[in-house]
Amino acid sequence: MLSILLAVGLFQASGPLQEPAYQPTWESLNGHDTPQWFKDAKFGIFIHWGVYSVPAFCDTSTYSEWYQYWCDSGAHDGLERSFHARNYGEDFQYRDFAPLFKAEMWDPEEWADILQRSGARYMVLTSKHHDGFCLWPNQEASLARGYPWNSVETGPGRDLVGELLEACKAKGVRPGLYYSFMEWHNPLYENDKARYVDEVMIPQIQELFQKYQPQVFWPDGEWDHPDNLWKSREILAWIYNHAEDPELLAVNDRWGKGLRGQVGDYSTTEYGSLGNSSGKGMRAMRPFEECRGIGHSFAFNRAENYDIYASRTRCVRELIDLVSKGGALLLDIGPTADGRIPVIMQDRLFAIGRWLEINGEAIYGTTRSPFQKAPAWGRVTAKDSVLYCHVQEWPLDERLEISGLRSKIRSARVLGGRKDSLPVTGGPGAWAVELAGEYPLEHATVIRLELEEIPEVTTSKS
Ligand code: GLC
């Protein structure tokens, strides 16, 4: 097996050859445990930033990071294509946007501060999206295309990956990198995918890990080809065998056509759907992460108006809903080409952060609701012998009914509330918490129930 890794240049034989911990088989690779920090984190920030942030335009139903593809394909009745011709001219090529991607107002420390204030525990930056432009000084990107195609040789003139990940680590936000397997307009990708994988993809991924040691690795753009073509198993074995601390590393499930939900450390969904996935393994009880923008796009889309952006309450309740189902939220922001996070996106992140300052214990480190069905008044999360009732519909009679809980409630109180404890009435299967004297907080009010034991619920479907 080692010969395969040597063949693809993944291993440089140095020192005594010993059996690596991980072999390039899904059986071996799936033996890697999802790190506990990732299971506990529950909330990350996705950042889609690149050359596509210059036009920052597409039909408001979809993703503006696909601008090049929408223009090439004449999608949306030619909306993007005619926008391009009108504003830049038909002879202006997508690659001509790169020098305009200046990031002249970019302050990585400011971004890291915003991410930290949001309450996010990790971040994932697009190191290279489907357009192949690298946000770090990668040579393979420029060599494969025959023109400067990274953020040091053109545009910002800076190592955006290096600076931002350093700033985030300093703020205690764990660093993550998105990386697209597929590329548009790369002659090597178009003419010889095997050479593209060996001469571009593998060296780029190795360089990302050797230079930046991300703790989250977020492959994407895998859906057209099987893992064999991408050499995914060899790459992931190399990553796990060479990571500074493989136990800290979390990778997603996007490693080859039809594999989502079955491989990697966690499953991914996107805007509530399985995306390009067969979804075959998505029912497995393992951590999952839902990613979505605050509007309809991952990268900044100047065509999106105020009404498209999710409200502060919608963002908070999205996080609560996902965590109550055993998942995490990777909420995306799309910065501008000059390096700013749009203020409406900052507003949503700060609203989540303020809510988490009071209610974080009901999110971080919790497990999915023990109930089969969500109660009418909201959602439930759990942590050992504590239940957190996230009340979104405040009961008019100021009485919170908790049906289906057999365990005895020892005490109850509102997180951030006025009173140290609230009266509990009823009995097993039909408890109630008297909320008189308390009042609903913005977005959701958490009632913390200390139980006599790990929650025991009735399994009836009712
Ligand atoms: C899809 C899109 C890509 C986006 C990703 C995020 O793969 O192609 O634009 O970055 O979803 O989940």
Side-chain angles (χ1 to χ4, degrees):
M1 190 56 71
L2 204 51
S3 58
I4 294 178
L5 297 181
L6 286 171
V8 297
L10 278 176
F11 259 120
Q12 312 307 332
S14 57
L17 286 185
Q18 51 192 355
E19 198 65 6
Y22 292 93
Q23 299 301 317
T25 67
W26 289 121
E27 186 192 7
S28 168
L29 297 166
N30 288 344
H32 180 266
D33 291 332
T34 308
Q36 191 59 43
W37 78 258
F38 184 83
K39 293 179 192 170
D40 292 344
K42 307 299 182 186
F43 181 36
I45 303 294
F46 215 170
I47 304 175
H48 277 66
W49 196 34
V51 170
Y52 42 76
S53 307
V54 176
F57 177 83
C58 75
D59 183 277
T60 56
S61 64
T62 186
Y63 304 159
S64 70
E65 64 274 16
W66 278 60
Y67 181 84
Q68 182 173 31
Y69 180 84
W70 304 138
C71 290
D72 288 348
S73 60
H76 315 122
D77 297 327
L79 174 74
E80 292 83 5
R81 185 179 279 177
S82 51
F83 172 88
H84 187 90
R86 194 169 58 249
N87 291 286
Y88 307 105
E90 286 182 3
D91 298 336
F92 191 93
Q93 299 179 62
Y94 181 79
R95 60 187 274 199
D96 297 328
F97 282 122
L100 306 178
F101 174 39
K102 294 196 176 76
E104 70 269 27
M105 295 181 71
W106 185 52
D107 176 354
E109 278 72 32
E110 182 191 30
W111 282 24
D113 182 59
I114 291 169
L115 268 54
Q116 190 268 332
R117 285 169 62 188
S118 76
R121 288 291 194 258
Y122 65 102
M123 52 78 76
V124 179
L125 169 68
T126 49
S127 67
K128 182 196 84 171
H129 207 266
H130 307 333
D131 62 4
F133 185 82
C134 291
L135 274 61
W136 84 98
N138 173 259
Q139 290 308 305
E140 282 80 8
S142 305
L143 289 173
R145 290 163 182 264
Y147 49 81
W149 205 234
N150 66 59
S151 65
V152 170
E153 289 182 57
T154 185
R158 294 169 74 171
D159 175 0
L160 307 180
V161 168
E163 290 190 56
L164 184 58
L165 267 59
E166 215 43 53
C168 288
K169 276 187 280 192
K171 281 284 184 183
V173 179
R174 292 178 189 264
L177 290 175
Y178 165 109
Y179 178 88
S180 177
F181 286 5
M182 78 169 189
E183 280 196 29
W184 299 318
H185 291 262
N186 179 329
L188 206 47
Y189 180 85
E190 284 163 2
N191 302 317
D192 187 337
K193 286 191 177 44
R195 276 192 57 203
Y196 161 78
V197 170
D198 287 345
E199 298 174 23
V200 179
M201 223 176 94
I202 289 174
Q204 287 184 332
I205 293 172
Q206 287 184 312
E207 186 173 57
L208 284 172
F209 275 89
Q210 287 161 342
K211 289 186 75 162
Y212 308 111
Q213 300 86 37
Q215 290 181 25
V216 178
F217 188 59
W218 218 97
D220 186 37
E222 87 293 355
W223 51 80
D224 281 336
H225 302 292
D227 56 340
N228 289 341
L229 178 136
W230 302 118
K231 291 187 179 168
S232 298
R233 300 189 306 276
E234 289 79 359
I235 290 170
L236 186 50
W238 181 90
I239 289 171
Y240 282 153
N241 289 328
H242 286 74
E244 269 182 6
D245 186 346
E247 276 62 54
L248 274 184
L249 189 53
V251 305
N252 74 8
D253 57 350
R254 302 189 178 192
W255 291 92
K257 185 172 186 173
L259 286 181
R260 290 190 192 181
Q262 302 157 73
V263 297
D265 298 310
Y266 65 91
S267 303
T268 57
T269 58
E270 182 179 314
Y271 276 93
S273 82
L274 304 177
N276 298 287
S277 151
S278 69
K280 207 163 73 177
M282 293 304 270
R283 297 291 161 258
M285 293 284 273
R286 72 178 196 155
F288 73 92
E289 174 198 71
E290 157 76 358
C291 67
R292 52 155 299 144
I294 300 173
H296 298 164
S297 176
F298 285 102
F300 183 47
N301 180 4
R302 291 181 291 168
E304 291 192 324
N305 62 25
Y306 178 85
D307 298 329
I308 286 178
Y309 284 97
S311 68
R312 296 174 175 180
T313 296
R314 172 98 188 276
C315 291
V316 171
R317 291 185 178 180
E318 178 86 3
L319 173 63
I320 294 169
D321 178 57
L322 288 161
V323 176
S324 75
K325 293 168 179 166
L329 171 62
L330 184 63
L331 186 63
D332 176 83
I333 54 173
T336 57
D338 60 12
R340 290 172 296 111
I341 297 173
V343 172
I344 192 167
M345 296 180 192
Q346 294 186 41
D347 176 85
R348 295 333 188 228
L349 297 191
F350 294 152
I352 297 170
R354 286 192 299 273
W355 187 84
L356 284 169
E357 274 170 18
I358 297 171
N359 300 290
E361 73 166 89
I363 295 290
Y364 302 125
T366 59
T367 50
R368 67 181 66 220
S369 167
F371 299 103
Q372 287 187 344
K373 266 185 65 187
W377 40 257
R379 295 292 184 269
V380 177
T381 57
K383 194 182 290 179
D384 305 324
S385 61
V386 176
L387 274 187
Y388 295 99
C389 300
H390 300 252
V391 180
Q392 297 170 11
E393 303 298 330
W394 193 257
L396 296 178
D397 60 2
E398 296 193 307
R399 194 161 191 276
L400 185 72
E401 294 184 359
I402 299 142
S403 52
L405 176 62
R406 307 209 55 72
S407 310
K408 186 170 172 10
I409 299 174
R410 187 182 287 163
S411 66
R413 65 182 173 86
V414 172
L415 294 186
R418 290 177 169 162
K419 305 166 80 170
D420 292 340
S421 78
L422 296 170
V424 175
T425 55
W431 295 106
V433 178
E434 307 301 333
L435 301 175
E438 286 292 3
Y439 60 97
L441 298 178
E442 199 178 15
H443 314 315
T445 308
V446 177
I447 317 291
R448 183 187 190 279
L449 303 180
E450 183 77 49
L451 309 181
E452 294 281 357
E453 60 188 353
I454 299 289
E456 190 194 333
V457 300
T458 48
T459 52
S460 66
K461 290 281 182 195
S462 60

